[in-house]
Amino acid sequence: MSDTWLKALVLASIFGAVLLAVEVLVGWLAAHRVEGKAIGQRLKSISQSRQGPAGQGILRRQDGLLGAGMSPYFSRLAGKFERMLIAARVTVPPARMALAILLAPVALFFLLLLVMTALGSPIGGGRLLMVGTFAAVAGGLLPLMLLNMRATRTRKRMQEQFPVALDVFVRGLRAGHPIAAALDLLRVEMPDPIGTEFGLVVEEVTYGAELRDALQAMADRWDLEDMRMFIVSLSVQSETGGNLAEILDNLSKVIRERASMMMKVRALSSEGRMTAIMLTALPVIAFTMLFIMNPKFYLDVADDPAFVPGFVGLIVLYAVGFFTIRRMVDLKV
């Protein structure tokens, strides 16, 4: 490699390292603000909702990723990403988080190139492919996996709390409260995350939104069938009349029976789901940890002519297996 190309590579690596350091610093500051901000939002939603709109930045995302000229495919991806951030209780705006996830692998790639250049290691096509794969996994794929795990836990907790919230709502209606007051009771009495969600619904209704639209927005944010059935029940009752408390009491029983059936299905399919998790996560984690602890294990064979096609074929087979396993364990009840 000539001196000109070497200098350009060093300058690009320095730029990437500085960019990575800035991203890490911003992420560290944001992470230390998340918990305090979430607590403050919860308290403000309960105690000051009559004085002004609560700062629900974790739920309201005016600077989202969805654009007018975006294709349907990317619109679906952006919607899923935003819902994942909402469920993961991340207060960072989606555009900034997406930019950080996209730039982190690039910055990590240039940082590794800088380290390799400083150590005098040769740089070839196989080594570039290996370093690029590690940067993509460590800087992009692993953070997405962690966010998805956190979002899944929060969504599961929301599903568990929703029948209890329906019971509280029904008791409020039978005690003589109107629908708005019963929803406000949920905001005060129920814990997070469902208490904050119903608090946002109450605030939207207070400041002029239709109740059905506010509830539909909540269902769209969490993508839960139980919430959609709740909205349909309210819509049918408002159009045809009837005892809303009895309707929602029956709906609560249906949701609990459905959850019981889902638990039975999950118990019967637990072996397959655990196999899917291990086959999906173990190669990624093993590759990342082994590359960190012993990079020569991969770099020593990266210059072999058969390495590049073999490694690319391995990635393709992993992707095929990943999507196949996801379809096999994606159970609908």
Side-chain angles (χ1 to χ4, degrees), residues 46-84:
I46 294 176
S47 61
Q48 299 181 1
S49 62
R50 297 297 186 269
Q51 303 177 10
Q56 301 281 349
I58 196 171
L59 301 175
R60 298 183 186 273
R61 300 187 179 272
Q62 303 296 336
D63 54 345
L65 296 174
L66 298 178
M70 187 177 292
S71 65
Y73 176 74
F74 287 104
S75 296
R76 288 194 298 269
L77 288 180
K80 289 182 180 180
F81 183 73
E82 290 186 22
R83 287 194 295 270
M84 181 180 67

PDB file of all heavy atoms in Angstrom, residues 46-84:
ATOM      1  N   ILE A  46     -49.640  12.611  36.213  1.00  0.00           N
ATOM      2  CA  ILE A  46     -50.638  12.362  37.249  1.00  0.00           C
ATOM      3  C   ILE A  46     -51.050  13.655  37.952  1.00  0.00           C
ATOM      4  O   ILE A  46     -52.233  13.905  38.171  1.00  0.00           O
ATOM      5  CB  ILE A  46     -50.093  11.342  38.274  1.00  0.00           C
ATOM      6  CG1 ILE A  46     -49.894   9.979  37.602  1.00  0.00           C
ATOM      7  CG2 ILE A  46     -51.014  11.216  39.485  1.00  0.00           C
ATOM      8  CD1 ILE A  46     -49.262   8.946  38.505  1.00  0.00           C
ATOM      9  N   SER A  47     -50.077  14.514  38.292  1.00  0.00           N
ATOM     10  CA  SER A  47     -50.378  15.641  39.171  1.00  0.00           C
ATOM     11  C   SER A  47     -50.675  16.941  38.452  1.00  0.00           C
ATOM     12  O   SER A  47     -51.314  17.825  39.012  1.00  0.00           O
ATOM     13  CB  SER A  47     -49.200  15.867  40.126  1.00  0.00           C
ATOM     14  OG  SER A  47     -48.033  16.174  39.388  1.00  0.00           O
ATOM     15  N   GLN A  48     -50.246  17.113  37.200  1.00  0.00           N
ATOM     16  CA  GLN A  48     -50.381  18.399  36.538  1.00  0.00           C
ATOM     17  C   GLN A  48     -51.094  18.299  35.198  1.00  0.00           C
ATOM     18  O   GLN A  48     -50.937  19.157  34.343  1.00  0.00           O
ATOM     19  CB  GLN A  48     -48.998  19.028  36.318  1.00  0.00           C
ATOM     20  CG  GLN A  48     -48.252  19.296  37.601  1.00  0.00           C
ATOM     21  CD  GLN A  48     -46.911  19.940  37.335  1.00  0.00           C
ATOM     22  OE1 GLN A  48     -46.548  20.201  36.196  1.00  0.00           O
ATOM     23  NE2 GLN A  48     -46.176  20.201  38.391  1.00  0.00           N
ATOM     24  N   SER A  49     -51.894  17.244  34.978  1.00  0.00           N
ATOM     25  CA  SER A  49     -52.543  17.091  33.685  1.00  0.00           C
ATOM     26  C   SER A  49     -53.597  18.153  33.441  1.00  0.00           C
ATOM     27  O   SER A  49     -53.948  18.441  32.305  1.00  0.00           O
ATOM     28  CB  SER A  49     -53.185  15.706  33.593  1.00  0.00           C
ATOM     29  OG  SER A  49     -54.184  15.574  34.590  1.00  0.00           O
ATOM     30  N   ARG A  50     -54.147  18.764  34.489  1.00  0.00           N
ATOM     31  CA  ARG A  50     -55.166  19.794  34.311  1.00  0.00           C
ATOM     32  C   ARG A  50     -54.561  21.159  34.014  1.00  0.00           C
ATOM     33  O   ARG A  50     -55.264  22.079  33.603  1.00  0.00           O
ATOM     34  CB  ARG A  50     -56.030  19.898  35.573  1.00  0.00           C
ATOM     35  CG  ARG A  50     -56.804  18.634  35.895  1.00  0.00           C
ATOM     36  CD  ARG A  50     -57.797  18.295  34.812  1.00  0.00           C
ATOM     37  NE  ARG A  50     -58.625  17.158  35.194  1.00  0.00           N
ATOM     38  CZ  ARG A  50     -58.339  15.917  34.926  1.00  0.00           C
ATOM     39  NH1 ARG A  50     -57.232  15.625  34.270  1.00  0.00           N
ATOM     40  NH2 ARG A  50     -59.150  14.933  35.295  1.00  0.00           N
ATOM     41  N   GLN A  51     -53.258  21.322  34.219  1.00  0.00           N
ATOM     42  CA  GLN A  51     -52.622  22.622  34.028  1.00  0.00           C
ATOM     43  C   GLN A  51     -51.954  22.764  32.673  1.00  0.00           C
ATOM     44  O   GLN A  51     -51.654  23.862  32.253  1.00  0.00           O
ATOM     45  CB  GLN A  51     -51.571  22.858  35.120  1.00  0.00           C
ATOM     46  CG  GLN A  51     -52.168  22.770  36.526  1.00  0.00           C
ATOM     47  CD  GLN A  51     -51.118  22.930  37.586  1.00  0.00           C
ATOM     48  OE1 GLN A  51     -49.972  23.283  37.296  1.00  0.00           O
ATOM     49  NE2 GLN A  51     -51.483  22.673  38.828  1.00  0.00           N
ATOM     50  N   GLY A  52     -51.703  21.662  31.997  1.00  0.00           N
ATOM     51  CA  GLY A  52     -51.039  21.745  30.705  1.00  0.00           C
ATOM     52  C   GLY A  52     -50.700  20.371  30.216  1.00  0.00           C
ATOM     53  O   GLY A  52     -50.731  19.411  30.977  1.00  0.00           O
ATOM     54  N   PRO A  53     -50.381  20.228  28.934  1.00  0.00           N
ATOM     55  CA  PRO A  53     -50.073  18.909  28.396  1.00  0.00           C
ATOM     56  C   PRO A  53     -48.793  18.362  28.989  1.00  0.00           C
ATOM     57  O   PRO A  53     -47.785  19.052  29.081  1.00  0.00           O
ATOM     58  CB  PRO A  53     -49.931  19.161  26.887  1.00  0.00           C
ATOM     59  CG  PRO A  53     -49.600  20.603  26.784  1.00  0.00           C
ATOM     60  CD  PRO A  53     -50.293  21.280  27.914  1.00  0.00           C
ATOM     61  N   ALA A  54     -48.849  17.143  29.410  1.00  0.00           N
ATOM     62  CA  ALA A  54     -47.658  16.509  29.992  1.00  0.00           C
ATOM     63  C   ALA A  54     -46.636  16.256  28.911  1.00  0.00           C
ATOM     64  O   ALA A  54     -46.956  15.988  27.770  1.00  0.00           O
ATOM     65  CB  ALA A  54     -48.038  15.189  30.673  1.00  0.00           C
ATOM     66  N   GLY A  55     -45.360  16.330  29.312  1.00  0.00           N
ATOM     67  CA  GLY A  55     -44.300  16.143  28.330  1.00  0.00           C
ATOM     68  C   GLY A  55     -44.049  14.691  28.055  1.00  0.00           C
ATOM     69  O   GLY A  55     -43.078  14.119  28.530  1.00  0.00           O
ATOM     70  N   GLN A  56     -44.923  14.049  27.291  1.00  0.00           N
ATOM     71  CA  GLN A  56     -44.803  12.619  27.020  1.00  0.00           C
ATOM     72  C   GLN A  56     -43.920  12.403  25.802  1.00  0.00           C
ATOM     73  O   GLN A  56     -44.336  11.867  24.787  1.00  0.00           O
ATOM     74  CB  GLN A  56     -46.195  12.021  26.794  1.00  0.00           C
ATOM     75  CG  GLN A  56     -47.142  12.181  27.962  1.00  0.00           C
ATOM     76  CD  GLN A  56     -46.869  11.165  29.049  1.00  0.00           C
ATOM     77  OE1 GLN A  56     -46.103  10.220  28.841  1.00  0.00           O
ATOM     78  NE2 GLN A  56     -47.462  11.334  30.189  1.00  0.00           N
ATOM     79  N   GLY A  57     -42.649  12.824  25.906  1.00  0.00           N
ATOM     80  CA  GLY A  57     -41.753  12.649  24.770  1.00  0.00           C
ATOM     81  C   GLY A  57     -41.463  11.208  24.454  1.00  0.00           C
ATOM     82  O   GLY A  57     -41.073  10.884  23.331  1.00  0.00           O
ATOM     83  N   ILE A  58     -41.653  10.334  25.452  1.00  0.00           N
ATOM     84  CA  ILE A  58     -41.391   8.917  25.196  1.00  0.00           C
ATOM     85  C   ILE A  58     -42.479   8.301  24.340  1.00  0.00           C
ATOM     86  O   ILE A  58     -42.297   7.249  23.747  1.00  0.00           O
ATOM     87  CB  ILE A  58     -41.262   8.177  26.542  1.00  0.00           C
ATOM     88  CG1 ILE A  58     -40.611   6.828  26.370  1.00  0.00           C
ATOM     89  CG2 ILE A  58     -42.606   8.038  27.222  1.00  0.00           C
ATOM     90  CD1 ILE A  58     -40.275   6.169  27.667  1.00  0.00           C
ATOM     91  N   LEU A  59     -43.664   8.973  24.287  1.00  0.00           N
ATOM     92  CA  LEU A  59     -44.771   8.444  23.512  1.00  0.00           C
ATOM     93  C   LEU A  59     -45.059   9.283  22.277  1.00  0.00           C
ATOM     94  O   LEU A  59     -45.367   8.748  21.220  1.00  0.00           O
ATOM     95  CB  LEU A  59     -46.032   8.374  24.395  1.00  0.00           C
ATOM     96  CG  LEU A  59     -45.904   7.506  25.643  1.00  0.00           C
ATOM     97  CD1 LEU A  59     -47.163   7.622  26.482  1.00  0.00           C
ATOM     98  CD2 LEU A  59     -45.662   6.065  25.267  1.00  0.00           C
ATOM     99  N   ARG A  60     -45.003  10.590  22.382  1.00  0.00           N
ATOM    100  CA  ARG A  60     -45.261  11.456  21.247  1.00  0.00           C
ATOM    101  C   ARG A  60     -43.958  11.613  20.458  1.00  0.00           C
ATOM    102  O   ARG A  60     -42.944  12.007  21.008  1.00  0.00           O
ATOM    103  CB  ARG A  60     -45.743  12.832  21.705  1.00  0.00           C
ATOM    104  CG  ARG A  60     -47.056  12.793  22.469  1.00  0.00           C
ATOM    105  CD  ARG A  60     -47.458  14.217  22.811  1.00  0.00           C
ATOM    106  NE  ARG A  60     -48.635  14.241  23.659  1.00  0.00           N
ATOM    107  CZ  ARG A  60     -49.873  14.220  23.212  1.00  0.00           C
ATOM    108  NH1 ARG A  60     -50.087  14.138  21.912  1.00  0.00           N
ATOM    109  NH2 ARG A  60     -50.887  14.253  24.044  1.00  0.00           N
ATOM    110  N   ARG A  61     -44.014  11.397  19.187  1.00  0.00           N
ATOM    111  CA  ARG A  61     -42.815  11.462  18.362  1.00  0.00           C
ATOM    112  C   ARG A  61     -43.152  12.255  17.112  1.00  0.00           C
ATOM    113  O   ARG A  61     -43.463  11.715  16.066  1.00  0.00           O
ATOM    114  CB  ARG A  61     -42.319  10.060  18.010  1.00  0.00           C
ATOM    115  CG  ARG A  61     -41.975   9.263  19.271  1.00  0.00           C
ATOM    116  CD  ARG A  61     -41.338   7.943  18.945  1.00  0.00           C
ATOM    117  NE  ARG A  61     -41.014   7.252  20.184  1.00  0.00           N
ATOM    118  CZ  ARG A  61     -39.877   7.395  20.842  1.00  0.00           C
ATOM    119  NH1 ARG A  61     -38.959   8.199  20.390  1.00  0.00           N
ATOM    120  NH2 ARG A  61     -39.663   6.733  21.954  1.00  0.00           N
ATOM    121  N   GLN A  62     -43.102  13.600  17.268  1.00  0.00           N
ATOM    122  CA  GLN A  62     -43.424  14.452  16.137  1.00  0.00           C
ATOM    123  C   GLN A  62     -42.323  14.419  15.083  1.00  0.00           C
ATOM    124  O   GLN A  62     -42.563  14.688  13.914  1.00  0.00           O
ATOM    125  CB  GLN A  62     -43.613  15.897  16.635  1.00  0.00           C
ATOM    126  CG  GLN A  62     -44.693  16.027  17.711  1.00  0.00           C
ATOM    127  CD  GLN A  62     -46.071  15.671  17.206  1.00  0.00           C
ATOM    128  OE1 GLN A  62     -46.321  15.758  16.012  1.00  0.00           O
ATOM    129  NE2 GLN A  62     -46.950  15.255  18.100  1.00  0.00           N
ATOM    130  N   ASP A  63     -41.093  14.125  15.492  1.00  0.00           N
ATOM    131  CA  ASP A  63     -39.983  14.071  14.543  1.00  0.00           C
ATOM    132  C   ASP A  63     -39.677  12.624  14.199  1.00  0.00           C
ATOM    133  O   ASP A  63     -38.556  12.161  14.288  1.00  0.00           O
ATOM    134  CB  ASP A  63     -38.731  14.756  15.124  1.00  0.00           C
ATOM    135  CG  ASP A  63     -38.345  14.185  16.474  1.00  0.00           C
ATOM    136  OD1 ASP A  63     -39.176  13.477  17.083  1.00  0.00           O
ATOM    137  OD2 ASP A  63     -37.211  14.451  16.906  1.00  0.00           O
ATOM    138  N   GLY A  64     -40.697  11.871  13.831  1.00  0.00           N
ATOM    139  CA  GLY A  64     -40.520  10.457  13.522  1.00  0.00           C
ATOM    140  C   GLY A  64     -39.819  10.246  12.207  1.00  0.00           C
ATOM    141  O   GLY A  64     -39.378  11.174  11.521  1.00  0.00           O
ATOM    142  N   LEU A  65     -39.730   8.970  11.818  1.00  0.00           N
ATOM    143  CA  LEU A  65     -39.034   8.603  10.597  1.00  0.00           C
ATOM    144  C   LEU A  65     -39.944   8.599   9.388  1.00  0.00           C
ATOM    145  O   LEU A  65     -39.473   8.536   8.260  1.00  0.00           O
ATOM    146  CB  LEU A  65     -38.417   7.201  10.769  1.00  0.00           C
ATOM    147  CG  LEU A  65     -37.347   7.072  11.839  1.00  0.00           C
ATOM    148  CD1 LEU A  65     -36.959   5.613  11.975  1.00  0.00           C
ATOM    149  CD2 LEU A  65     -36.131   7.903  11.521  1.00  0.00           C
ATOM    150  N   LEU A  66     -41.253   8.633   9.585  1.00  0.00           N
ATOM    151  CA  LEU A  66     -42.180   8.503   8.478  1.00  0.00           C
ATOM    152  C   LEU A  66     -42.211   9.796   7.680  1.00  0.00           C
ATOM    153  O   LEU A  66     -42.425  10.874   8.225  1.00  0.00           O
ATOM    154  CB  LEU A  66     -43.583   8.165   8.992  1.00  0.00           C
ATOM    155  CG  LEU A  66     -43.692   6.840   9.742  1.00  0.00           C
ATOM    156  CD1 LEU A  66     -45.101   6.640  10.242  1.00  0.00           C
ATOM    157  CD2 LEU A  66     -43.284   5.679   8.858  1.00  0.00           C
ATOM    158  N   GLY A  67     -41.999   9.682   6.388  1.00  0.00           N
ATOM    159  CA  GLY A  67     -42.036  10.826   5.497  1.00  0.00           C
ATOM    160  C   GLY A  67     -43.082  10.643   4.431  1.00  0.00           C
ATOM    161  O   GLY A  67     -43.588   9.554   4.170  1.00  0.00           O
ATOM    162  N   ALA A  68     -43.430  11.769   3.791  1.00  0.00           N
ATOM    163  CA  ALA A  68     -44.499  11.723   2.795  1.00  0.00           C
ATOM    164  C   ALA A  68     -44.092  10.929   1.568  1.00  0.00           C
ATOM    165  O   ALA A  68     -44.900  10.241   0.960  1.00  0.00           O
ATOM    166  CB  ALA A  68     -44.892  13.147   2.402  1.00  0.00           C
ATOM    167  N   GLY A  69     -42.817  11.016   1.176  1.00  0.00           N
ATOM    168  CA  GLY A  69     -42.389  10.343  -0.037  1.00  0.00           C
ATOM    169  C   GLY A  69     -41.745   8.992   0.182  1.00  0.00           C
ATOM    170  O   GLY A  69     -41.097   8.464  -0.726  1.00  0.00           O
ATOM    171  N   MET A  70     -41.922   8.419   1.347  1.00  0.00           N
ATOM    172  CA  MET A  70     -41.280   7.145   1.659  1.00  0.00           C
ATOM    173  C   MET A  70     -42.087   6.009   1.044  1.00  0.00           C
ATOM    174  O   MET A  70     -43.315   6.030   1.016  1.00  0.00           O
ATOM    175  CB  MET A  70     -41.172   6.976   3.173  1.00  0.00           C
ATOM    176  CG  MET A  70     -40.376   5.760   3.616  1.00  0.00           C
ATOM    177  SD  MET A  70     -40.209   5.678   5.421  1.00  0.00           S
ATOM    178  CE  MET A  70     -39.158   7.097   5.719  1.00  0.00           C
ATOM    179  N   SER A  71     -41.384   5.002   0.559  1.00  0.00           N
ATOM    180  CA  SER A  71     -42.043   3.849  -0.038  1.00  0.00           C
ATOM    181  C   SER A  71     -42.770   3.048   1.033  1.00  0.00           C
ATOM    182  O   SER A  71     -42.442   3.138   2.223  1.00  0.00           O
ATOM    183  CB  SER A  71     -41.012   2.965  -0.743  1.00  0.00           C
ATOM    184  OG  SER A  71     -40.104   2.419   0.199  1.00  0.00           O
ATOM    185  N   PRO A  72     -43.777   2.245   0.648  1.00  0.00           N
ATOM    186  CA  PRO A  72     -44.525   1.468   1.653  1.00  0.00           C
ATOM    187  C   PRO A  72     -43.647   0.528   2.464  1.00  0.00           C
ATOM    188  O   PRO A  72     -43.873   0.340   3.662  1.00  0.00           O
ATOM    189  CB  PRO A  72     -45.561   0.709   0.811  1.00  0.00           C
ATOM    190  CG  PRO A  72     -45.726   1.528  -0.422  1.00  0.00           C
ATOM    191  CD  PRO A  72     -44.378   2.139  -0.686  1.00  0.00           C
ATOM    192  N   TYR A  73     -42.644  -0.082   1.813  1.00  0.00           N
ATOM    193  CA  TYR A  73     -41.787  -1.021   2.530  1.00  0.00           C
ATOM    194  C   TYR A  73     -41.010  -0.306   3.633  1.00  0.00           C
ATOM    195  O   TYR A  73     -40.981  -0.762   4.790  1.00  0.00           O
ATOM    196  CB  TYR A  73     -40.822  -1.687   1.552  1.00  0.00           C
ATOM    197  CG  TYR A  73     -39.827  -2.610   2.202  1.00  0.00           C
ATOM    198  CD1 TYR A  73     -40.202  -3.861   2.683  1.00  0.00           C
ATOM    199  CD2 TYR A  73     -38.489  -2.221   2.358  1.00  0.00           C
ATOM    200  CE1 TYR A  73     -39.286  -4.698   3.300  1.00  0.00           C
ATOM    201  CE2 TYR A  73     -37.575  -3.053   2.962  1.00  0.00           C
ATOM    202  CZ  TYR A  73     -37.972  -4.291   3.427  1.00  0.00           C
ATOM    203  OH  TYR A  73     -37.058  -5.106   4.042  1.00  0.00           O
ATOM    204  N   PHE A  74     -40.380   0.829   3.285  1.00  0.00           N
ATOM    205  CA  PHE A  74     -39.616   1.563   4.288  1.00  0.00           C
ATOM    206  C   PHE A  74     -40.539   2.210   5.320  1.00  0.00           C
ATOM    207  O   PHE A  74     -40.133   2.426   6.462  1.00  0.00           O
ATOM    208  CB  PHE A  74     -38.733   2.617   3.619  1.00  0.00           C
ATOM    209  CG  PHE A  74     -37.550   2.035   2.896  1.00  0.00           C
ATOM    210  CD1 PHE A  74     -37.531   1.938   1.517  1.00  0.00           C
ATOM    211  CD2 PHE A  74     -36.458   1.560   3.597  1.00  0.00           C
ATOM    212  CE1 PHE A  74     -36.448   1.395   0.848  1.00  0.00           C
ATOM    213  CE2 PHE A  74     -35.370   1.014   2.950  1.00  0.00           C
ATOM    214  CZ  PHE A  74     -35.364   0.926   1.567  1.00  0.00           C
ATOM    215  N   SER A  75     -41.776   2.523   4.925  1.00  0.00           N
ATOM    216  CA  SER A  75     -42.729   3.054   5.896  1.00  0.00           C
ATOM    217  C   SER A  75     -43.049   2.003   6.954  1.00  0.00           C
ATOM    218  O   SER A  75     -43.146   2.322   8.148  1.00  0.00           O
ATOM    219  CB  SER A  75     -44.008   3.492   5.182  1.00  0.00           C
ATOM    220  OG  SER A  75     -43.752   4.553   4.290  1.00  0.00           O
ATOM    221  N   ARG A  76     -43.215   0.749   6.528  1.00  0.00           N
ATOM    222  CA  ARG A  76     -43.466  -0.319   7.500  1.00  0.00           C
ATOM    223  C   ARG A  76     -42.268  -0.519   8.420  1.00  0.00           C
ATOM    224  O   ARG A  76     -42.432  -0.706   9.632  1.00  0.00           O
ATOM    225  CB  ARG A  76     -43.805  -1.618   6.772  1.00  0.00           C
ATOM    226  CG  ARG A  76     -45.185  -1.618   6.111  1.00  0.00           C
ATOM    227  CD  ARG A  76     -45.587  -3.018   5.707  1.00  0.00           C
ATOM    228  NE  ARG A  76     -44.670  -3.588   4.722  1.00  0.00           N
ATOM    229  CZ  ARG A  76     -44.822  -3.476   3.410  1.00  0.00           C
ATOM    230  NH1 ARG A  76     -45.857  -2.803   2.919  1.00  0.00           N
ATOM    231  NH2 ARG A  76     -43.958  -4.030   2.577  1.00  0.00           N
ATOM    232  N   LEU A  77     -41.063  -0.493   7.854  1.00  0.00           N
ATOM    233  CA  LEU A  77     -39.868  -0.638   8.689  1.00  0.00           C
ATOM    234  C   LEU A  77     -39.741   0.501   9.686  1.00  0.00           C
ATOM    235  O   LEU A  77     -39.415   0.283  10.861  1.00  0.00           O
ATOM    236  CB  LEU A  77     -38.619  -0.702   7.803  1.00  0.00           C
ATOM    237  CG  LEU A  77     -38.404  -1.977   6.990  1.00  0.00           C
ATOM    238  CD1 LEU A  77     -37.111  -1.872   6.180  1.00  0.00           C
ATOM    239  CD2 LEU A  77     -38.341  -3.201   7.895  1.00  0.00           C
ATOM    240  N   ALA A  78     -40.002   1.731   9.213  1.00  0.00           N
ATOM    241  CA  ALA A  78     -39.918   2.884  10.111  1.00  0.00           C
ATOM    242  C   ALA A  78     -40.972   2.794  11.209  1.00  0.00           C
ATOM    243  O   ALA A  78     -40.702   3.117  12.375  1.00  0.00           O
ATOM    244  CB  ALA A  78     -40.083   4.178   9.314  1.00  0.00           C
ATOM    245  N   GLY A  79     -42.183   2.348  10.852  1.00  0.00           N
ATOM    246  CA  GLY A  79     -43.219   2.183  11.867  1.00  0.00           C
ATOM    247  C   GLY A  79     -42.845   1.146  12.911  1.00  0.00           C
ATOM    248  O   GLY A  79     -43.056   1.349  14.114  1.00  0.00           O
ATOM    249  N   LYS A  80     -42.295   0.019  12.470  1.00  0.00           N
ATOM    250  CA  LYS A  80     -41.866  -1.010  13.423  1.00  0.00           C
ATOM    251  C   LYS A  80     -40.747  -0.494  14.326  1.00  0.00           C
ATOM    252  O   LYS A  80     -40.712  -0.787  15.528  1.00  0.00           O
ATOM    253  CB  LYS A  80     -41.394  -2.251  12.663  1.00  0.00           C
ATOM    254  CG  LYS A  80     -42.518  -3.030  11.980  1.00  0.00           C
ATOM    255  CD  LYS A  80     -41.963  -4.263  11.286  1.00  0.00           C
ATOM    256  CE  LYS A  80     -43.069  -5.052  10.604  1.00  0.00           C
ATOM    257  NZ  LYS A  80     -42.528  -6.258   9.919  1.00  0.00           N
ATOM    258  N   PHE A  81     -39.816   0.282  13.751  1.00  0.00           N
ATOM    259  CA  PHE A  81     -38.705   0.813  14.539  1.00  0.00           C
ATOM    260  C   PHE A  81     -39.220   1.786  15.591  1.00  0.00           C
ATOM    261  O   PHE A  81     -38.784   1.750  16.756  1.00  0.00           O
ATOM    262  CB  PHE A  81     -37.707   1.499  13.610  1.00  0.00           C
ATOM    263  CG  PHE A  81     -36.478   2.014  14.307  1.00  0.00           C
ATOM    264  CD1 PHE A  81     -35.504   1.148  14.750  1.00  0.00           C
ATOM    265  CD2 PHE A  81     -36.313   3.373  14.525  1.00  0.00           C
ATOM    266  CE1 PHE A  81     -34.373   1.620  15.400  1.00  0.00           C
ATOM    267  CE2 PHE A  81     -35.193   3.856  15.165  1.00  0.00           C
ATOM    268  CZ  PHE A  81     -34.218   2.987  15.604  1.00  0.00           C
ATOM    269  N   GLU A  82     -40.149   2.653  15.215  1.00  0.00           N
ATOM    270  CA  GLU A  82     -40.706   3.602  16.175  1.00  0.00           C
ATOM    271  C   GLU A  82     -41.484   2.883  17.277  1.00  0.00           C
ATOM    272  O   GLU A  82     -41.387   3.253  18.458  1.00  0.00           O
ATOM    273  CB  GLU A  82     -41.603   4.602  15.454  1.00  0.00           C
ATOM    274  CG  GLU A  82     -40.830   5.566  14.566  1.00  0.00           C
ATOM    275  CD  GLU A  82     -41.729   6.638  13.983  1.00  0.00           C
ATOM    276  OE1 GLU A  82     -42.807   6.891  14.556  1.00  0.00           O
ATOM    277  OE2 GLU A  82     -41.356   7.222  12.952  1.00  0.00           O
ATOM    278  N   ARG A  83     -42.269   1.874  16.909  1.00  0.00           N
ATOM    279  CA  ARG A  83     -42.999   1.116  17.934  1.00  0.00           C
ATOM    280  C   ARG A  83     -42.044   0.388  18.869  1.00  0.00           C
ATOM    281  O   ARG A  83     -42.311   0.266  20.070  1.00  0.00           O
ATOM    282  CB  ARG A  83     -43.964   0.133  17.270  1.00  0.00           C
ATOM    283  CG  ARG A  83     -45.184   0.791  16.639  1.00  0.00           C
ATOM    284  CD  ARG A  83     -46.246  -0.239  16.300  1.00  0.00           C
ATOM    285  NE  ARG A  83     -45.797  -1.168  15.274  1.00  0.00           N
ATOM    286  CZ  ARG A  83     -45.966  -0.979  13.973  1.00  0.00           C
ATOM    287  NH1 ARG A  83     -46.579   0.118  13.534  1.00  0.00           N
ATOM    288  NH2 ARG A  83     -45.543  -1.874  13.095  1.00  0.00           N
ATOM    289  N   MET A  84     -40.918  -0.096  18.325  1.00  0.00           N
ATOM    290  CA  MET A  84     -39.942  -0.757  19.174  1.00  0.00           C
ATOM    291  C   MET A  84     -39.334   0.226  20.173  1.00  0.00           C
ATOM    292  O   MET A  84     -39.141  -0.101  21.356  1.00  0.00           O
ATOM    293  CB  MET A  84     -38.835  -1.388  18.315  1.00  0.00           C
ATOM    294  CG  MET A  84     -37.783  -2.124  19.119  1.00  0.00           C
ATOM    295  SD  MET A  84     -36.493  -2.850  18.078  1.00  0.00           S
ATOM    296  CE  MET A  84     -35.709  -1.358  17.442  1.00  0.00           C
TER     297      MET A  84
END
